Amino acid sequence: MLAARFHAPGRPLALDDVPVPEPGPDEVRVRVHAAGVCGTELHFTDGLYAPSRTPMTLGHEAAGTVDAVGSEVTGWAEGDRVAVYYYLFCGSCRWCLRGRQNLCLAPRGVLAFAADGAFAEQLVVPAHCLVRLPAELPFEAAAPLCCAGTTAVHALTEAGVEPGDVVVVLGAGGVGLAAVQEARRRGGVVVAVSRDGARRSAARSAGAVAAVSPAELAGTVTRLTGGQGADVVVELAGVTATLELATAVLGRRGRLVLVGYSADALTVSPLGLVVAEQRVVASVGNTLAELEQAVSLAAAGQLAPPVAGALPLAEVNEALDRLRAGNVAGRLVLTP
């Protein structure tokens, strides 16, 4: 089968011919119909971090159909429509038992990080990592739910967004646009921030009451809050400029939710945090239950990370180049 594989940083992904994987006793093979292209792939190709081995098939947002099941698998059959939970969790450690599979202490792997991912015609995962897709949800719309949609759901849950909260979303890519939708669904008054005009337009369509450039953010938050500051800031870039902007507009009892990351550091004043009783919360990925929730929300028309376009797997490097250039309003999807 064809797979887009990472061999080394600074190099395009290679389109390799690799053996079709065989499922183990408790595993399922999925035929990939759609795979979302996430900014995480750029962290590999740009050398921010490396997968556990090379070559590695990238891609962690996958939707498709069951192609084969292991001898011990029950409840799944060939042809079933599925979304894939990309943390290949153990199911028995203290965090899995608490429903926090994203913090699993003994995962079999994480797609694209420590297990071959979704930029391939087929992939193998434990059967407990599958979520059933309703027939009315297209694969191209379902794939971005597996990270972009669920990352937004998890971050806003961690932030404790309540009706009437002013929520700033710093970044309007795939996760950012999903965060705008989810914050709006929870009753938030959403301000989206992007340097790109097309992304700002997409954010307004997603439900933001304002979509502004970074230079306009402070004035917009002041106007909307009467100078009180934002209740929640969802930070999706993780670079010094946006981190400083996030802390500057945060109000009393405000929650700064860190989702994006880079090699940059966050610098805060403990005095400022304490006096205003502000909180800094980190949010990584999502739980299995949140993927199930995202699928249900999407089926009800309440969560739909915008799909900016669908490309064949052979054009994976073009997709990554477009994402790196910052001119993608939503998620690009590969169709192996």
Side-chain angles (χ1 to χ4, degrees):
M1 68 174 188
L2 191 65
R5 312 196 86 195
F6 172 90
H7 285 259
R11 291 169 50 184
L13 299 189
L15 293 169
D16 295 339
D17 188 9
V18 301
V20 174
E22 293 297 329
D26 65 345
E27 295 178 328
V28 168
R29 186 171 66 218
V30 174
R31 182 171 297 277
V32 181
H33 290 264
V37 182
C38 178
T40 299
E41 273 76 60
L42 298 182
H43 291 324
F44 289 116
T45 58
D46 294 346
L48 180 61
Y49 46 65
S52 64
R53 57 172 169 78
T54 55
M56 178 72 78
T57 303
L58 296 191
H60 58 278
E61 294 183 337
T65 54
V66 172
D67 185 66
V69 300
S71 59
E72 298 175 2
V73 173
T74 59
W76 296 105
E78 185 176 344
D80 286 346
R81 305 175 83 255
V82 296
V84 178
Y85 182 68
Y86 63 89
Y87 289 99
L88 310 186
F89 62 97
C90 73
S92 59
C93 73
R94 63 188 293 239
W95 292 110
C96 287
L97 294 175
R98 295 179 184 185
R100 294 276 181 166
Q101 298 89 353
N102 57 325
L103 300 178
C104 178
L105 296 172
R108 298 190 194 183
V110 179
L111 293 185
F113 292 79
D116 281 326
F119 290 174
E121 295 175 342
Q122 299 179 64
L123 81 162
V124 164
V125 296
H128 64 217
C129 290
L130 300 182
V131 170
R132 202 171 299 276
L133 284 181
E136 65 269 21
L137 195 58
F139 294 116
E140 291 82 359
L145 295 173
C146 299
C147 174
T150 49
T151 295
V153 169
H154 185 67
L156 292 167
T157 299
E158 295 301 296
V161 172
E162 298 177 349
D165 279 349
V166 172
V167 180
V168 172
V169 179
L170 273 166
V175 176
L177 293 174
V180 169
Q181 293 177 358
E182 179 63 5
R184 184 70 187 88
R185 186 186 72 83
R186 293 174 183 235
V189 178
V190 187
V191 179
V193 185
S194 177
R195 292 183 174 86
D196 182 75
R199 291 187 175 190
R200 292 196 296 270
S201 178
R204 284 188 286 269
S205 297
V209 298
V212 300
S213 68
E216 298 171 303
L217 177 60
T220 301
V221 171
T222 296
R223 175 175 57 82
L224 287 174
T225 66
Q228 296 301 305
D231 299 295
V232 175
V233 178
V234 182
E235 209 290 329
L236 298 168
V239 298
T240 298
T242 54
L243 290 166
E244 290 178 349
L245 195 57
T247 55
V249 300
L250 199 63
R252 289 180 179 272
R253 288 192 58 79
R255 289 88 75 196
L256 169 57
V257 187
L258 302 178
V259 181
Y261 48 86
S262 71
D264 293 354
L266 170 66
T267 301
V268 297
S269 163
L271 176 61
L273 288 177
V274 170
V275 169
E277 207 172 63
Q278 296 170 333
R279 284 169 282 168
V280 178
V281 179
S283 175
V284 61
N286 54 87
T287 68
L288 179 64
E290 286 164 341
L291 177 54
E292 294 170 341
Q293 180 185 6
V295 168
S296 295
L297 289 172
Q302 296 180 299
L303 180 64
V307 175
L311 295 82
L313 182 61
E315 296 180 20
V316 59
N317 289 306
E318 177 185 336
L320 292 174
D321 288 344
R322 288 175 59 184
L323 188 61
R324 185 178 288 107
N327 58 7
V328 178
R331 265 295 197 259
L332 290 173
V333 173
L334 301 176
T335 54

